[in-house]
Amino acid sequence: MFESLEGYIEPGSEEDVLVRRIDLTRLPRHVAVIMDGNGRWAKQRGLSRIEGHRAGSDSVREIVEASARLGVKVLTLYAFSKENWRRPRREVSELWSLLRNYLKKDAHVLMENDLRLLVIGQKNGIPKIVLKELERVERETAVNGRMTVVLALNYGGRSEIVDAVKRILRERGTDPDALTEESFSGLLYTASLPDPDLLIRTSGELRVSNFLLWQIAYAEMWVTPVLWPDFRKKHFLQALVEYQQRERRFGDIRPR
Ligand code: IPE
Ligand code: IPE
Ligand code: MG
């Protein structure tokens, strides 16, 4: 079991200095991450792109652990977008097989640490053999309550919204006034989750790439030039420190 921070953060280290600046009672409830830069990381080292993705999965393990230990309640990781199907077939199939291996090897970490897995995205479209594994782990971890790890797979923000509208047209009555922002949120893949408070993007790109378009309306954005395979708990802690320095106003003139 991941215990609290004791023994995890070396006293006097850079991480220790950062942790001391974080108010653990004011953490973002939901952190969403656009994990970007695996390809460039590999290219810099003369490696294949898939080596970059492999190295990126170590960052996933580290950030899942750091989030759980700190007490974040929801961690969403953008792992495969609907647009990522445009990549060379070999890269696409290697990405899915990496995910399958991760599930086989690491599902027990979720169980042992009371972490729930939730997949968002269009499930039909995910390779059957991977989907089977994903649904097994979702089922097995469904009652876990410490933190929810949300994997965005075959995910597109626009198609999520279109899917919700389709459901309204199909299932709901004809009263337009019955539709509210709350009821619409309840039709998205993220229905059971709070909106992200903090959106992290690695590798320096200043765009959202079709991620959680509805849900990030008031998220604080934090972009780092660090490439995803180099992203470590130290960077995550930096993001939290800066998040807590922001003044969130939600349209008001006073902080909220
Ligand atoms: C992010 O890294 C991983 C996925 C999108 C699956 P990239 O593969 O996009 O890396 P860059 O952006 O080419 O460096
Ligand atoms: C966004 O990264 C998707 C994921 C991290 C899964 P991309 O690398 O696909 O985004 P663009 O193409 O640079 O916008
Ligand atoms: Mg990229």
Side-chain angles (χ1 to χ4, degrees), residues 33-37 40 49 77-81 83-84 87 152 201 205 207-211:
V33 187
I34 303 177
M35 311 183 287
D36 197 13
R40 276 161 283 174
R49 293 182 57 87
L77 302 171
Y78 199 8
F80 194 92
S81 73
E83 290 75 26
N84 287 148
R87 296 184 179 204
R201 184 165 189 153
E205 307 292 0
R207 55 178 173 263
V208 291
S209 301
N210 204 11
F211 191 40

Side-chain angles (χ1 to χ4, degrees), residues 1-205:
M1 180 89 165
F2 303 145
E3 300 298 340
S4 59
L5 294 171
E6 228 152 295
Y8 179 62
I9 303 279
E10 198 186 322
S13 64
E14 203 177 336
E15 284 92 349
D16 190 27
V17 174
L18 288 162
V19 166
R20 284 168 197 280
R21 293 174 63 195
I22 297 172
D23 176 353
L24 294 175
T25 67
R26 285 179 50 244
L27 285 177
R29 271 201 302 170
H30 182 173
V31 180
V33 187
I34 303 177
M35 311 183 287
D36 197 13
N38 295 352
R40 276 161 283 174
W41 183 91
K43 194 169 178 205
Q44 283 173 2
R45 288 162 178 75
L47 301 170
S48 68
R49 293 182 57 87
I50 192 67
E51 291 300 331
H53 297 311
R54 205 164 281 143
S57 60
D58 290 335
S59 304
V60 170
R61 289 186 185 90
E62 178 151 339
I63 298 318
V64 166
E65 178 170 356
S67 305
R69 284 181 183 268
L70 282 156
V72 169
K73 296 312 288 179
V74 184
L75 174 70
T76 298
L77 302 171
Y78 199 8
F80 194 92
S81 73
K82 283 195 72 168
E83 290 75 26
N84 287 148
W85 291 105
R86 294 178 182 147
R87 296 184 179 204
R89 198 149 35 140
R90 172 129 185 264
E91 179 174 348
V92 168
S93 73
E94 286 182 321
L95 273 168
W96 288 111
S97 77
L98 253 184
L99 172 67
R100 204 167 143 235
N101 288 342
Y102 172 78
L103 292 169
K104 282 192 168 163
K105 276 214 320 244
D106 277 58
H108 73 99
V109 176
L110 300 175
M111 261 337 267
E112 286 160 17
N113 290 287
D114 194 22
L115 311 179
R116 174 169 74 124
L117 178 78
L118 185 73
V119 176
I120 60 169
Q122 278 183 343
K123 282 198 169 173
N124 55 15
I126 295 179
K128 290 275 176 310
I129 184 163
V130 185
L131 186 60
K132 215 177 100 200
E133 207 70 40
L134 285 165
E135 289 184 332
R136 177 184 64 81
V137 180
E138 274 189 317
R139 246 189 339 267
E140 285 174 8
T141 62
V143 296
N144 294 352
R146 182 178 184 179
M147 179 176 86
T148 302
V149 179
V150 184
L151 279 186
L153 293 167
N154 195 26
Y155 177 88
R158 286 186 171 182
S159 67
E160 176 179 34
I161 292 169
V162 171
D163 281 350
V165 174
K166 282 184 183 165
R167 263 180 76 187
I168 296 172
L169 295 174
R170 234 183 262 126
E171 299 168 13
R172 301 280 161 116
T174 49
D175 180 10
D177 293 330
L179 184 67
T180 61
E181 292 183 11
E182 285 71 30
S183 68
F184 190 77
S185 294
L187 294 168
L188 298 173
Y189 307 141
T190 50
S192 57
L193 307 171
D195 285 340
D197 301 295
L198 172 62
L199 173 65
I200 295 176
R201 184 165 189 153
T202 58
S203 90
E205 307 292 0

